[in-house]
Amino acid sequence: MTAVNIGNLRVPRARVDTADRPDEAGLIDRFGRFGRDLRVSVTEKCSLRCTYCMPEEGLPAIPRRDLLTPAEIARLVGIGARDLGIREVRFTGGEPLMRADLAEILAATREAAPGVPMALTTNGIGLDRRLPALLAAGLDRVNISLDTVDREHFARLTRRDRLDAVLAGIAAARDAGLEPLKVNAVLMRETLGDAADLLAWAVDARVHLRFIEQMPLDADGVWSRESLVDAAELLAVLGTRFRLEPIGRDDPSSPAELWQVAGTAATVGIIASVTRSFCRDCDRTRLTAEGSVRSCLFGDDETPLAPLLRGGATDAAIADAWRAAMWGKQAGHGMERPTFQRPARSMGAIGG
Ligand code: SAM
Ligand code: SF4
């Protein structure tokens, strides 16, 4: 495998042998999975510095010329939808609201891929102000990240005192009628004691709360299996205050297992990304902010599409490069193996 410089990063460049690949239109991989759910990171910048994601000083800036433009993003999503079977696109980052031209990205994407639902994963800061333009540009759904409703704990975990701004973003999304409104919380030992309060808040706020096991994708590299808060431990904590009735998955490709919160209309989800890997059913394909295909969160090999986009390649040639990249997707994250190595990019540089 060779390497390529992408902005400040030196990442392995995928060299995928596609000789045995079936003549299949979609993004099939060797294990028979299809990439249908596209995550597009649009920036490395962020208004928070969550300890499980970003370094305190933020990620090294991607030179502006290396970031995909709205037209380039739209072209790629259009190719994905038309030629490769993409059924949904989610914009992420970094913090996607840090891109002043986010509404332009959405509008261009809607035009290039009219039938594809567009979602946003955001920390919610500034969403109240930006939402009207984003909705007008075609935004269909949002997921908002919130780990605790304790202001001090929030400030410590995100290294910013911005809880009120996040809550304002969530309220705006709910008032705009965005449904389902999902709130994602990363399970951290320091906020485990706040989990029941967070669920009580979510029941009250009528949002779908989903806890996510922390993955070894923090820029500081301090994740350890020993300190992981897993689904079982969370269920024990929530069980002291709520009666939870298992529902299962609402759809087989969804990573979240759901529980009904007895006596309420609410459900709570757990995404056990570490202890109950859903790699076998993974239907994701990712584009980094610089326009490289990343077939797996944990696979560092990337296929840059920007040189093709900017070098006059046809849609068919770009689709082909994307298909080849996905054919090389690894079987799973491999965290259970003693040889497991964290990827070079942290979560904020990939897009969750
Ligand atoms: N800034 C936006 C946000 O926070 O929602 C979008 C980007 S963020 C990288 C996407 C998602 O990844 C968030 O829900 C965040 O909580 C989650 N995330 C970040 N680091 C993680 C980690 N180490 N393990 C599990 N989830 C993580
Ligand atoms: Fe920013 Fe989202 Fe990472 Fe938190 S999880 S630092 S909000 S990119």
Side-chain angles (χ1 to χ4, degrees):
M1 198 178 281
T2 56
V4 62
N5 287 322
I6 299 180
N8 302 303
L9 283 168
R10 189 154 176 79
V11 294
R13 179 177 191 151
R15 287 253 173 268
V16 182
D17 178 5
T18 53
D20 53 348
R21 187 182 184 283
D23 193 18
E24 181 61 65
L27 293 171
I28 191 173
D29 67 33
R30 280 199 185 81
F31 306 95
R33 301 167 297 188
F34 281 87
R36 296 192 172 106
D37 177 0
L38 171 60
R39 308 277 153 121
V40 182
S41 174
V42 295
T43 180
E44 82 298 352
K45 294 192 176 19
C46 190
S47 41
L48 298 179
R49 296 285 185 273
C50 307
T51 53
Y52 49 73
C53 177
M54 287 261 172
E56 183 151 20
E57 67 282 9
L59 290 165
I62 299 175
R64 205 190 158 92
R65 64 177 180 281
D66 291 343
L67 279 181
L68 293 189
T69 63
E72 289 171 335
I73 292 171
R75 183 173 171 207
L76 288 178
V77 181
I79 293 170
R82 225 174 20 253
D83 304 330
L84 298 171
I86 294 301
R87 293 192 189 147
E88 175 170 2
V89 58
R90 171 172 297 280
F91 297 101
T92 175
E95 174 45 49
L97 292 172
M98 297 296 279
R99 275 218 39 179
D101 58 357
L102 184 61
E104 245 178 88
I105 293 174
L106 289 168
T109 303
R110 174 53 31 106
E111 206 176 314
V116 174
M118 296 192 295
L120 192 65
T121 298
T122 171
N123 63 26
I125 296 175
L127 186 62
D128 45 346
R129 203 170 35 81
R130 305 279 296 279
L131 201 52
L134 300 179
L135 291 172
L139 179 66
D140 294 295
R141 280 194 282 278
V142 282
N143 286 3
I144 302 181
S145 304
L146 173 65
D147 306 311
T148 171
V149 284
D150 180 290
R151 182 169 167 186
E152 237 175 71
H153 294 175
F154 180 95
R156 207 173 312 140
L157 194 64
T158 65
R159 302 180 175 115
R160 298 287 186 275
D161 186 8
R162 305 298 306 277
L163 175 63
D164 289 347
V166 175
L167 294 176
I170 294 173
R174 193 196 44 220
D175 294 347
L178 282 171
E179 268 291 329
L181 182 53
K182 293 182 183 165
V183 169
N184 294 335
V186 177
L187 271 171
M188 299 293 286
R189 192 147 297 285
E190 51 273 48
T191 46
L192 182 60
D194 301 342
D197 283 346
L198 185 61
L199 179 54
W201 167 85
V203 170
D204 207 41
R206 303 188 310 281
V207 299
H208 300 272
L209 179 61
R210 305 181 319 163
F211 289 94
I212 306 173
E213 284 177 354
Q214 189 203 359
M215 294 182 273
L217 292 168
D218 55 315
D220 296 338
V222 297
W223 182 94
S224 79
R225 182 73 192 225
E226 295 68 48
S227 61
L228 180 81
V229 178
D230 64 15
E233 196 173 349
L234 172 69
L235 284 170
V237 167
L238 295 180
T240 60
R241 188 137 142 217
F242 300 94
R243 193 156 54 80
L244 301 178
E245 294 158 357
I247 300 177
R249 292 180 204 278
D250 49 359
D251 100 65
S253 72
S254 162
E257 277 185 68
L258 298 179
W259 280 260
Q260 183 72 44
V261 184
T264 78
T267 59
V268 58
I270 304 182
I271 303 181
S273 9
V274 177
T275 58
R276 287 177 228 165
S277 141
F278 37 86
C279 299
R280 219 180 35 195
D281 298 317
C282 178
D283 63 353
R284 298 203 179 145
T285 179
R286 293 185 157 81
L287 290 173
T288 65
E290 307 96 328
S292 294
V293 178
R294 207 172 157 101
S295 56
C296 172
L297 261 182
F298 288 90
D300 254 337
D301 49 305
E302 296 184 356
T303 301
L305 298 184
L308 295 175
L309 268 176
R310 293 173 180 182
T314 60
D315 286 3
I318 293 172
D320 229 39
W322 198 338
R323 288 164 71 231
M326 292 304 290
W327 181 243
K329 178 167 169 157
Q330 61 195 47
H333 53 49
M335 269 183 251
E336 65 291 348
R337 287 201 298 267
T339 52
F340 170 75
Q341 280 198 325
R342 308 163 48 104
R345 285 187 192 257
S346 56
M347 188 64 123
I350 305 170

